[in-house]
Amino acid sequence: MTDAEKKHLYDVADLFLYFAEKAKREGLLALDDRIDADTMRLHEFDGDERIEFPELFDDEHFAFSLLLGGIVNGTDSKIIAGIAENLLESTGNTTALRLGIEAIRDIQSGVPPAAMELKIYAMMGREIALEYKQHRKDFEDAREEEIAEYFKRAGTENPSDSGSGNEEGSLIFEDIADFDDESVLKILRETEIHEAATALKTGSEKILCKIRGCLPPKIARALTDEMEFMGPVRVSDVEAAQAHFVRIAERLGGR
């Protein structure tokens, strides 16, 4: 397999692992806006998604859009399996195409993304799987580096943020929506992305828009993904995260 073929295979695997995570969080219907039924192609991303949209071949666009459309519309899994067999017989039947088709069937069956990743490794074979595993690690490391420009790294300590944050006349979490952008970014740089997502779980649309609006689209999307992926959160955890925001804001004196 050439380097170009490997890269294409990795891109297809990344795409369907991303789709699997999205379907797990939001349901199969969340994939509907990725399909152009008229042209039988997949829509490219708008630029704020977690991954870059890969360059797909026409046969891949055709097969993937057809099968994704089928599972989104509730087509029976046996019928999907038959369509998949027909597609493999009528197209080039490359590793990337087989991988994508198998991934779509897994998404329909509700296979967890982590289990799907193991199946992808098995389809690739040992040598390519090891390279792909390193590719995934490099991707996640690069993503963490991007996020670290705007949020505190997990496990690092803040300067002391002691203070009540709850006294009469003091700030409340929603007041941060009225801060200037630079003040909000200073607060975020002393807050882990998970903690920011927790604080925003019950936040108003105003503060959600304010914080996301301070961030580049890709980082704002990462914050949204974090909020969606964590699921339900205890009220006490939300209150603690919001109090952390307020203490940092009071210490920094931002407005």
Side-chain angles (χ1 to χ4, degrees), residues 32-191:
D32 189 44
D33 62 357
R34 299 267 59 93
I35 307 160
D36 187 333
D38 293 332
T39 62
M40 291 188 172
R41 297 178 69 84
L42 297 183
H43 286 301
E44 295 189 7
F45 298 149
D46 297 328
D48 63 344
E49 300 288 348
R50 181 174 179 176
I51 65 169
E52 300 292 332
F53 190 86
E55 293 187 14
L56 299 178
F57 296 110
D58 288 343
D59 282 347
E60 292 169 340
H61 270 293
F62 174 64
F64 299 159
S65 64
L66 199 64
L67 290 172
L68 279 174
I71 69 172
V72 166
N73 292 325
T75 304
D76 184 86
S77 60
K78 291 182 179 178
I79 296 176
I80 291 292
I83 295 172
E85 289 179 9
N86 290 336
L87 287 168
L88 289 172
E89 290 175 1
S90 62
T91 58
N93 194 3
T94 63
T95 303
L97 184 67
R98 291 197 307 274
L99 186 152
I101 287 175
E102 185 65 22
I104 292 170
R105 296 180 62 187
D106 285 344
I107 291 170
Q108 182 182 36
S109 301
V111 175
M116 184 185 296
E117 188 169 349
L118 295 178
K119 293 184 69 173
I120 286 172
Y121 291 150
M123 289 185 70
M124 289 177 171
R126 181 178 181 277
E127 182 178 342
I128 296 177
L130 286 172
E131 293 178 8
Y132 179 63
K133 191 169 186 178
Q134 184 62 47
H135 159 84
R136 294 284 292 176
K137 182 180 184 302
D138 292 344
F139 172 80
E140 292 298 336
D141 288 348
R143 182 170 180 266
E144 286 183 11
E145 286 296 326
E146 287 183 316
I147 291 172
E149 293 184 27
Y150 297 91
F151 293 93
K152 182 171 74 74
R153 290 182 185 275
T156 56
E157 294 184 1
N158 278 335
S160 173
D161 62 359
S162 60
S164 67
N166 292 312
E167 296 175 0
E168 187 70 28
S170 65
L171 290 173
I172 61 172
F173 179 64
E174 291 290 335
D175 290 338
I176 294 170
D178 296 321
F179 283 24
D180 61 72
D181 289 359
E182 185 56 37
S183 295
V184 173
L185 287 171
K186 286 180 180 178
I187 296 170
L188 293 179
R189 290 189 183 105
E190 295 192 21
T191 307

